[in-house]
């Protein structure tokens, strides 16, 4: 793909997508983001592998402004997959340092997403009793695992998880991440706290919206207090959980101001939880940009830049979203995995050379039973023959 110097900084066709933006203290060269993809390419001990490095350096070479690596596990009791990235100990620092350096040296900003899976994990994989705000089993995961075991978190558990997130954020910053994303979407632990669907507590961490948001607010404030302007903080939420009794866009009306006052620099709006899985990675039948109105509503409540995601598969569409004022940033997942050079090819007017995602859903390894992410159209991530024959 074209050398960095070939890429015009002003682009007539995609003037907004190609324009720089500040996320708190961090400057991005353009508005295209790679959203976190757990690919299970790490080494079995959770350290960064060569394969993981190659995955992200290809993305950085391809021109997107901000790359969220991860997700990275913050606590040893929630290692929910073999080969998921980890950040729950200093031994992960050297690999992470190299990863962030490689991304930054290619002109992209390295970010990382921090996760605790809460009830959306399998006890038979974590080897630990799962924890959640309330002892309500995940309707999806509990069916898969005869050993599924879940308990309500004590206040001591909450403090421990808080400390784990802050320690993980400090490690990420020490390793050179410039944007730290707190994962409070897709039904994982922090989303479980936020949602009346999964949080039935009656103490300070349950009940009204502020109580349900308390742990998230404490984590954001804790990261801000510890790291100040060394990093930007992104919060990822599911703007609509698409489940009975779950979060709807209107529920964020007053919450976003609270998130902002406690330190977020960016809001990354996704949708869905495991029970509404097709909202997390929207299939073709949902059409293009199916969540854009959810994002636009949350943007009305926000002062910080908002990122849209979900079946936005070309720079044309990204530009439309930006032009319509529905978001300040656009994340493209499958489109960039199918062709990591989609941004630079588009900016150079070489759209006809883009290898397109066919929305076959084979990348969603957790639904196919694959151990890691494979892509049907990108030869670098194709399913090896021996797995096919298994
Ligand atoms: C293989 C795969 C792994 C994903 N892992 C994560 C993750 O770890 N954290 C997260 O917030 N979203 C994750 N997502 C959701 C993506 O970030 C993104 O929101 C989704 O792919 C929809 O965007 P797209 O239509 O541009 O692909 C994952 C999606 C896929 C397909």
């Amino acid at each position: 793909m074209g050398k960095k110097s070939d890429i015009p900084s002003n682009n007539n066709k995609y003037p907004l997508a190609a324009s720089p933006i500040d996320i708190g203290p961090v400057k991005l060269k353009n508005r295209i983001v790679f959203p976190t993809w757990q690919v299970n390419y790490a080494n079995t001990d959770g350290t960064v592998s060569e394969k993981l490095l190659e995955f992200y350096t290809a993305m950085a070479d391809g021109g997107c402004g901000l790359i969220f690596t991860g997700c990275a596990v913050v606590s040893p009791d929630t290692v929910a997959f073999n080969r998921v990235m980890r950040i729950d100990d200093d031994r992960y620092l050297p690999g992470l340092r190299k990863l962030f350096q490689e991304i930054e040296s290619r002109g992209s900003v390295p970010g990382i997403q921090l996760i605790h899976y809460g009830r959306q994990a399998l006890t038979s994989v974590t080897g630990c009793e799962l924890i959640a705000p309330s002892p309500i089993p995940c309707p999806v995961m509990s069916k898969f695992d005869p050993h599924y075991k879940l308990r309500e978190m004590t206040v001591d558990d909450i403090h421990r998880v808080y400390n784990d997130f802050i320690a993980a954020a400090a490690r990420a910053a020490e390793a050179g991440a410039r944007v730290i994303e707190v994962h409070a979407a897709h039904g994982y632990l922090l989303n479980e706290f936020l949602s009346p669907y999964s949080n039935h507590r009656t103490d300070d961490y349950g009940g009204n919206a502020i109580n349900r948001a308390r742990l998230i607010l404490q984590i954001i404030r804790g990261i801000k207090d510890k790291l100040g302007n060394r990093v930007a903080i992104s919060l990822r939420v599911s703007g609509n959980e698409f489940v009975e009794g779950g979060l709807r866009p209107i529920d964020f009306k007053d919450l976003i101001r609270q998130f902002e006052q406690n330190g977020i620099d960016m809001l990354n709006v996704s949708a869905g939880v495991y029970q509404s899985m097709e909202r997390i990675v929207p299939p073709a039948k949902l059409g293009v940009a199916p969540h854009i109105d959810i994002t636009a509503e949350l943007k009305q409540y926000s002062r910080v830049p908002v990122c849209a995601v979900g079946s936005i598969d070309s720079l044309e569409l990204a530009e439309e979203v930006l032009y319509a004022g529905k978001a300040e940033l656009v994340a493209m997942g499958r489109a960039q995995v199918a062709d990591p050079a989609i941004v630079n090819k588009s900016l150079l007017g070489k759209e006809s050379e883009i290898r397109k995602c066919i929305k076959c859903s084979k990348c969603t390894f957790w639904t196919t039973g694959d151990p890691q992410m494979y892509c049907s159209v990108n030869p670098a991530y194709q399913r090896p023959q021996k797995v096919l024959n298994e």
Side-chain angles (χ1 to χ4, degrees), residues 336-370:
Q336 291 193 86
V337 171
D339 190 341
I342 184 172
V343 176
N344 282 349
K345 283 181 181 172
S346 304
L347 297 182
L348 289 168
K350 297 183 176 173
E351 290 88 342
S352 62
E353 295 177 17
I354 292 169
R355 186 174 48 225
K356 293 213 160 77
C357 167
I358 54 168
K359 297 254 180 74
C360 66
S361 296
K362 297 261 166 58
C363 54
T364 56
F365 57 86
W366 57 92
T367 62
T368 59
D370 285 322

mmCIF file of all heavy atoms in Angstrom, residues 336-370:
data_model
loop_
_atom_site.group_PDB
_atom_site.id
_atom_site.type_symbol
_atom_site.label_atom_id
_atom_site.label_comp_id
_atom_site.label_asym_id
_atom_site.label_seq_id
_atom_site.Cartn_x
_atom_site.Cartn_y
_atom_site.Cartn_z
ATOM 1 N N GLN A 336 -12.019 -3.674 7.941
ATOM 2 C CA GLN A 336 -10.557 -3.538 8.034
ATOM 3 C C GLN A 336 -9.862 -4.885 8.226
ATOM 4 O O GLN A 336 -8.691 -5.027 7.897
ATOM 5 C CB GLN A 336 -10.169 -2.588 9.170
ATOM 6 C CG GLN A 336 -10.545 -1.145 8.867
ATOM 7 C CD GLN A 336 -9.902 -0.160 9.824
ATOM 8 O OE1 GLN A 336 -8.769 0.268 9.619
ATOM 9 N NE2 GLN A 336 -10.623 0.202 10.868
ATOM 10 N N VAL A 337 -10.577 -5.869 8.755
ATOM 11 C CA VAL A 337 -9.974 -7.206 8.845
ATOM 12 C C VAL A 337 -9.929 -7.808 7.440
ATOM 13 O O VAL A 337 -8.925 -8.406 7.028
ATOM 14 C CB VAL A 337 -10.748 -8.104 9.831
ATOM 15 C CG1 VAL A 337 -10.256 -9.547 9.752
ATOM 16 C CG2 VAL A 337 -10.585 -7.573 11.258
ATOM 17 N N ALA A 338 -11.010 -7.621 6.678
ATOM 18 C CA ALA A 338 -11.034 -8.138 5.303
ATOM 19 C C ALA A 338 -9.937 -7.482 4.465
ATOM 20 O O ALA A 338 -9.255 -8.137 3.686
ATOM 21 C CB ALA A 338 -12.402 -7.881 4.673
ATOM 22 N N ASP A 339 -9.760 -6.182 4.651
ATOM 23 C CA ASP A 339 -8.681 -5.477 3.952
ATOM 24 C C ASP A 339 -8.108 -4.395 4.863
ATOM 25 O O ASP A 339 -8.655 -3.288 4.951
ATOM 26 C CB ASP A 339 -9.190 -4.843 2.653
ATOM 27 C CG ASP A 339 -8.018 -4.326 1.811
ATOM 28 O OD1 ASP A 339 -6.909 -4.136 2.381
ATOM 29 O OD2 ASP A 339 -8.193 -4.132 0.597
ATOM 30 N N PRO A 340 -7.003 -4.711 5.550
ATOM 31 C CA PRO A 340 -6.428 -3.741 6.484
ATOM 32 C C PRO A 340 -6.001 -2.445 5.811
ATOM 33 O O PRO A 340 -5.785 -1.440 6.499
ATOM 34 C CB PRO A 340 -5.206 -4.474 7.065
ATOM 35 C CG PRO A 340 -5.432 -5.917 6.785
ATOM 36 C CD PRO A 340 -6.277 -5.982 5.537
ATOM 37 N N ALA A 341 -5.900 -2.439 4.490
ATOM 38 C CA ALA A 341 -5.469 -1.219 3.785
ATOM 39 C C ALA A 341 -6.642 -0.407 3.261
ATOM 40 O O ALA A 341 -6.454 0.514 2.465
ATOM 41 C CB ALA A 341 -4.525 -1.580 2.638
ATOM 42 N N ILE A 342 -7.838 -0.710 3.720
ATOM 43 C CA ILE A 342 -9.029 -0.031 3.161
ATOM 44 C C ILE A 342 -8.944 1.495 3.314
ATOM 45 O O ILE A 342 -9.344 2.228 2.414
ATOM 46 C CB ILE A 342 -10.343 -0.580 3.781
ATOM 47 C CG1 ILE A 342 -11.568 0.057 3.122
ATOM 48 C CG2 ILE A 342 -10.395 -0.405 5.279
ATOM 49 C CD1 ILE A 342 -12.887 -0.577 3.544
ATOM 50 N N VAL A 343 -8.373 1.979 4.414
ATOM 51 C CA VAL A 343 -8.337 3.432 4.617
ATOM 52 C C VAL A 343 -7.411 4.070 3.582
ATOM 53 O O VAL A 343 -7.804 4.969 2.839
ATOM 54 C CB VAL A 343 -7.892 3.786 6.054
ATOM 55 C CG1 VAL A 343 -7.754 5.302 6.216
ATOM 56 C CG2 VAL A 343 -8.894 3.240 7.070
ATOM 57 N N ASN A 344 -6.167 3.580 3.525
ATOM 58 C CA ASN A 344 -5.223 4.194 2.580
ATOM 59 C C ASN A 344 -5.665 4.006 1.128
ATOM 60 O O ASN A 344 -5.534 4.923 0.311
ATOM 61 C CB ASN A 344 -3.819 3.614 2.776
ATOM 62 C CG ASN A 344 -3.138 4.242 3.991
ATOM 63 O OD1 ASN A 344 -3.619 5.232 4.539
ATOM 64 N ND2 ASN A 344 -2.027 3.658 4.405
ATOM 65 N N LYS A 345 -6.200 2.840 0.800
ATOM 66 C CA LYS A 345 -6.663 2.629 -0.582
ATOM 67 C C LYS A 345 -7.749 3.652 -0.917
ATOM 68 O O LYS A 345 -7.767 4.235 -2.001
ATOM 69 C CB LYS A 345 -7.204 1.214 -0.764
ATOM 70 C CG LYS A 345 -6.114 0.151 -0.885
ATOM 71 C CD LYS A 345 -6.713 -1.246 -1.083
ATOM 72 C CE LYS A 345 -5.622 -2.306 -1.166
ATOM 73 N NZ LYS A 345 -6.156 -3.679 -1.163
ATOM 74 N N SER A 346 -8.648 3.884 0.011
ATOM 75 C CA SER A 346 -9.731 4.850 -0.243
ATOM 76 C C SER A 346 -9.175 6.261 -0.367
ATOM 77 O O SER A 346 -9.545 7.010 -1.282
ATOM 78 C CB SER A 346 -10.761 4.812 0.889
ATOM 79 O OG SER A 346 -11.255 3.511 1.058
ATOM 80 N N LEU A 347 -8.262 6.612 0.548
ATOM 81 C CA LEU A 347 -7.727 7.982 0.509
ATOM 82 C C LEU A 347 -6.923 8.231 -0.763
ATOM 83 O O LEU A 347 -6.794 9.363 -1.215
ATOM 84 C CB LEU A 347 -6.874 8.269 1.749
ATOM 85 C CG LEU A 347 -7.616 8.220 3.096
ATOM 86 C CD1 LEU A 347 -6.681 8.574 4.250
ATOM 87 C CD2 LEU A 347 -8.831 9.152 3.116
ATOM 88 N N LEU A 348 -6.398 7.163 -1.344
ATOM 89 C CA LEU A 348 -5.632 7.308 -2.589
ATOM 90 C C LEU A 348 -6.497 7.129 -3.833
ATOM 91 O O LEU A 348 -5.987 7.074 -4.949
ATOM 92 C CB LEU A 348 -4.496 6.276 -2.609
ATOM 93 C CG LEU A 348 -3.353 6.544 -1.621
ATOM 94 C CD1 LEU A 348 -2.450 5.321 -1.505
ATOM 95 C CD2 LEU A 348 -2.548 7.762 -2.054
ATOM 96 N N GLY A 349 -7.819 6.979 -3.634
ATOM 97 C CA GLY A 349 -8.716 6.822 -4.785
ATOM 98 C C GLY A 349 -8.632 5.444 -5.417
ATOM 99 O O GLY A 349 -8.988 5.270 -6.585
ATOM 100 N N LYS A 350 -8.145 4.456 -4.655
ATOM 101 C CA LYS A 350 -8.010 3.106 -5.222
ATOM 102 C C LYS A 350 -9.073 2.175 -4.647
ATOM 103 O O LYS A 350 -8.787 1.035 -4.261
ATOM 104 C CB LYS A 350 -6.618 2.560 -4.925
ATOM 105 C CG LYS A 350 -5.512 3.377 -5.565
ATOM 106 C CD LYS A 350 -4.161 2.760 -5.296
ATOM 107 C CE LYS A 350 -3.085 3.552 -6.048
ATOM 108 N NZ LYS A 350 -1.743 3.124 -5.713
ATOM 109 N N GLU A 351 -10.304 2.670 -4.571
ATOM 110 C CA GLU A 351 -11.379 1.889 -3.965
ATOM 111 C C GLU A 351 -11.610 0.569 -4.687
ATOM 112 O O GLU A 351 -12.016 -0.421 -4.077
ATOM 113 C CB GLU A 351 -12.694 2.681 -3.954
ATOM 114 C CG GLU A 351 -12.709 3.848 -2.984
ATOM 115 C CD GLU A 351 -12.180 5.129 -3.580
ATOM 116 O OE1 GLU A 351 -11.493 5.076 -4.627
ATOM 117 O OE2 GLU A 351 -12.443 6.194 -2.997
ATOM 118 N N SER A 352 -11.352 0.557 -6.013
ATOM 119 C CA SER A 352 -11.615 -0.672 -6.773
ATOM 120 C C SER A 352 -10.686 -1.805 -6.344
ATOM 121 O O SER A 352 -10.952 -2.968 -6.614
ATOM 122 C CB SER A 352 -11.455 -0.406 -8.272
ATOM 123 O OG SER A 352 -10.110 -0.005 -8.502
ATOM 124 N N GLU A 353 -9.603 -1.466 -5.631
ATOM 125 C CA GLU A 353 -8.650 -2.510 -5.198
ATOM 126 C C GLU A 353 -8.979 -3.076 -3.815
ATOM 127 O O GLU A 353 -8.272 -3.933 -3.303
ATOM 128 C CB GLU A 353 -7.228 -1.927 -5.174
ATOM 129 C CG GLU A 353 -6.727 -1.540 -6.550
ATOM 130 C CD GLU A 353 -5.346 -0.894 -6.499
ATOM 131 O OE1 GLU A 353 -4.643 -1.015 -5.486
ATOM 132 O OE2 GLU A 353 -5.002 -0.246 -7.508
ATOM 133 N N ILE A 354 -10.046 -2.577 -3.216
ATOM 134 C CA ILE A 354 -10.364 -3.018 -1.838
ATOM 135 C C ILE A 354 -10.964 -4.421 -1.842
ATOM 136 O O ILE A 354 -11.875 -4.718 -2.626
ATOM 137 C CB ILE A 354 -11.339 -2.005 -1.171
ATOM 138 C CG1 ILE A 354 -10.619 -0.672 -0.951
ATOM 139 C CG2 ILE A 354 -11.886 -2.561 0.150
ATOM 140 C CD1 ILE A 354 -11.519 0.477 -0.563
ATOM 141 N N ARG A 355 -10.448 -5.254 -0.943
ATOM 142 C CA ARG A 355 -11.013 -6.608 -0.760
ATOM 143 C C ARG A 355 -12.134 -6.482 0.269
ATOM 144 O O ARG A 355 -11.915 -6.063 1.396
ATOM 145 C CB ARG A 355 -9.916 -7.542 -0.243
ATOM 146 C CG ARG A 355 -10.320 -8.988 -0.135
ATOM 147 C CD ARG A 355 -9.124 -9.852 0.239
ATOM 148 N NE ARG A 355 -8.413 -9.265 1.353
ATOM 149 C CZ ARG A 355 -7.084 -9.142 1.431
ATOM 150 N NH1 ARG A 355 -6.313 -9.568 0.486
ATOM 151 N NH2 ARG A 355 -6.523 -8.579 2.483
ATOM 152 N N LYS A 356 -13.334 -6.834 -0.156
ATOM 153 C CA LYS A 356 -14.498 -6.515 0.689
ATOM 154 C C LYS A 356 -14.905 -7.653 1.608
ATOM 155 O O LYS A 356 -14.837 -8.834 1.232
ATOM 156 C CB LYS A 356 -15.684 -6.159 -0.210
ATOM 157 C CG LYS A 356 -15.489 -4.862 -0.973
ATOM 158 C CD LYS A 356 -16.817 -4.146 -1.154
ATOM 159 C CE LYS A 356 -16.660 -2.685 -1.460
ATOM 160 N NZ LYS A 356 -16.286 -2.365 -2.813
ATOM 161 N N CYS A 357 -15.363 -7.295 2.789
ATOM 162 C CA CYS A 357 -15.968 -8.266 3.716
ATOM 163 C C CYS A 357 -17.267 -8.759 3.087
ATOM 164 O O CYS A 357 -18.046 -7.972 2.551
ATOM 165 C CB CYS A 357 -16.261 -7.574 5.049
ATOM 166 S SG CYS A 357 -17.318 -8.529 6.148
ATOM 167 N N ILE A 358 -17.507 -10.079 3.168
ATOM 168 C CA ILE A 358 -18.730 -10.630 2.564
ATOM 169 C C ILE A 358 -19.783 -10.938 3.637
ATOM 170 O O ILE A 358 -20.776 -11.603 3.365
ATOM 171 C CB ILE A 358 -18.411 -11.892 1.725
ATOM 172 C CG1 ILE A 358 -17.653 -12.919 2.590
ATOM 173 C CG2 ILE A 358 -17.638 -11.529 0.467
ATOM 174 C CD1 ILE A 358 -17.545 -14.300 1.939
ATOM 175 N N LYS A 359 -19.519 -10.497 4.879
ATOM 176 C CA LYS A 359 -20.474 -10.700 5.987
ATOM 177 C C LYS A 359 -20.896 -12.160 6.123
ATOM 178 O O LYS A 359 -22.072 -12.473 6.276
ATOM 179 C CB LYS A 359 -21.722 -9.828 5.775
ATOM 180 C CG LYS A 359 -21.456 -8.343 5.772
ATOM 181 C CD LYS A 359 -21.955 -7.716 7.065
ATOM 182 C CE LYS A 359 -21.723 -6.231 7.129
ATOM 183 N NZ LYS A 359 -22.599 -5.457 6.290
ATOM 184 N N CYS A 360 -19.905 -13.047 6.056
ATOM 185 C CA CYS A 360 -20.217 -14.473 6.185
ATOM 186 C C CYS A 360 -20.319 -14.887 7.650
ATOM 187 O O CYS A 360 -20.733 -15.997 7.955
ATOM 188 C CB CYS A 360 -19.147 -15.306 5.487
ATOM 189 S SG CYS A 360 -17.531 -15.171 6.304
ATOM 190 N N SER A 361 -19.875 -14.001 8.554
ATOM 191 C CA SER A 361 -19.912 -14.241 10.008
ATOM 192 C C SER A 361 -18.954 -15.327 10.485
ATOM 193 O O SER A 361 -19.025 -15.750 11.630
ATOM 194 C CB SER A 361 -21.327 -14.585 10.481
ATOM 195 O OG SER A 361 -22.170 -13.501 10.277
ATOM 196 N N LYS A 362 -18.062 -15.775 9.605
ATOM 197 C CA LYS A 362 -17.100 -16.815 10.030
ATOM 198 C C LYS A 362 -16.104 -16.274 11.051
ATOM 199 O O LYS A 362 -15.492 -17.035 11.781
ATOM 200 C CB LYS A 362 -16.345 -17.349 8.809
ATOM 201 C CG LYS A 362 -17.233 -18.041 7.791
ATOM 202 C CD LYS A 362 -17.176 -19.549 7.952
ATOM 203 C CE LYS A 362 -18.278 -20.276 7.215
ATOM 204 N NZ LYS A 362 -18.341 -20.062 5.801
ATOM 205 N N CYS A 363 -15.944 -14.950 11.090
ATOM 206 C CA CYS A 363 -14.991 -14.371 12.051
ATOM 207 C C CYS A 363 -15.471 -14.506 13.497
ATOM 208 O O CYS A 363 -14.676 -14.465 14.431
ATOM 209 C CB CYS A 363 -14.715 -12.906 11.720
ATOM 210 S SG CYS A 363 -16.201 -11.887 11.585
ATOM 211 N N THR A 364 -16.768 -14.691 13.681
ATOM 212 C CA THR A 364 -17.293 -14.777 15.051
ATOM 213 C C THR A 364 -17.038 -16.185 15.583
ATOM 214 O O THR A 364 -17.927 -17.037 15.618
ATOM 215 C CB THR A 364 -18.794 -14.416 15.104
ATOM 216 O OG1 THR A 364 -19.495 -15.269 14.219
ATOM 217 C CG2 THR A 364 -19.035 -12.971 14.701
ATOM 218 N N PHE A 365 -15.794 -16.399 15.999
ATOM 219 C CA PHE A 365 -15.320 -17.746 16.346
ATOM 220 C C PHE A 365 -16.118 -18.367 17.488
ATOM 221 O O PHE A 365 -16.221 -19.568 17.606
ATOM 222 C CB PHE A 365 -13.820 -17.703 16.689
ATOM 223 C CG PHE A 365 -13.481 -16.756 17.805
ATOM 224 C CD1 PHE A 365 -13.558 -17.166 19.114
ATOM 225 C CD2 PHE A 365 -13.110 -15.438 17.544
ATOM 226 C CE1 PHE A 365 -13.267 -16.284 20.146
ATOM 227 C CE2 PHE A 365 -12.822 -14.550 18.571
ATOM 228 C CZ PHE A 365 -12.898 -14.985 19.881
ATOM 229 N N TRP A 366 -16.702 -17.514 18.341
ATOM 230 C CA TRP A 366 -17.456 -18.051 19.476
ATOM 231 C C TRP A 366 -18.777 -18.684 19.032
ATOM 232 O O TRP A 366 -19.373 -19.452 19.769
ATOM 233 C CB TRP A 366 -17.689 -16.967 20.546
ATOM 234 C CG TRP A 366 -18.405 -15.764 20.017
ATOM 235 C CD1 TRP A 366 -19.743 -15.558 20.022
ATOM 236 C CD2 TRP A 366 -17.820 -14.612 19.392
ATOM 237 N NE1 TRP A 366 -20.036 -14.352 19.430
ATOM 238 C CE2 TRP A 366 -18.884 -13.745 19.049
ATOM 239 C CE3 TRP A 366 -16.521 -14.227 19.094
ATOM 240 C CZ2 TRP A 366 -18.673 -12.515 18.409
ATOM 241 C CZ3 TRP A 366 -16.310 -12.999 18.461
ATOM 242 C CH2 TRP A 366 -17.376 -12.165 18.130
ATOM 243 N N THR A 367 -19.222 -18.371 17.819
ATOM 244 C CA THR A 367 -20.438 -19.030 17.317
ATOM 245 C C THR A 367 -20.100 -20.206 16.411
ATOM 246 O O THR A 367 -20.921 -21.094 16.220
ATOM 247 C CB THR A 367 -21.343 -18.043 16.527
ATOM 248 O OG1 THR A 367 -20.610 -17.580 15.389
ATOM 249 C CG2 THR A 367 -21.766 -16.855 17.357
ATOM 250 N N THR A 368 -18.886 -20.208 15.842
ATOM 251 C CA THR A 368 -18.519 -21.296 14.932
ATOM 252 C C THR A 368 -17.808 -22.430 15.670
ATOM 253 O O THR A 368 -17.615 -23.500 15.113
ATOM 254 C CB THR A 368 -17.536 -20.789 13.842
ATOM 255 O OG1 THR A 368 -16.370 -20.273 14.507
ATOM 256 C CG2 THR A 368 -18.141 -19.704 12.978
ATOM 257 N N GLY A 369 -17.365 -22.164 16.903
ATOM 258 C CA GLY A 369 -16.623 -23.182 17.652
ATOM 259 C C GLY A 369 -15.133 -23.182 17.328
ATOM 260 O O GLY A 369 -14.381 -24.024 17.809
ATOM 261 N N ASP A 370 -14.693 -22.217 16.503
ATOM 262 C CA ASP A 370 -13.261 -22.120 16.200
ATOM 263 C C ASP A 370 -12.500 -21.597 17.421
ATOM 264 O O ASP A 370 -13.045 -20.829 18.216
ATOM 265 C CB ASP A 370 -13.031 -21.164 15.017
ATOM 266 C CG ASP A 370 -13.413 -21.790 13.696
ATOM 267 O OD1 ASP A 370 -13.154 -23.000 13.522
ATOM 268 O OD2 ASP A 370 -13.989 -21.084 12.840
#
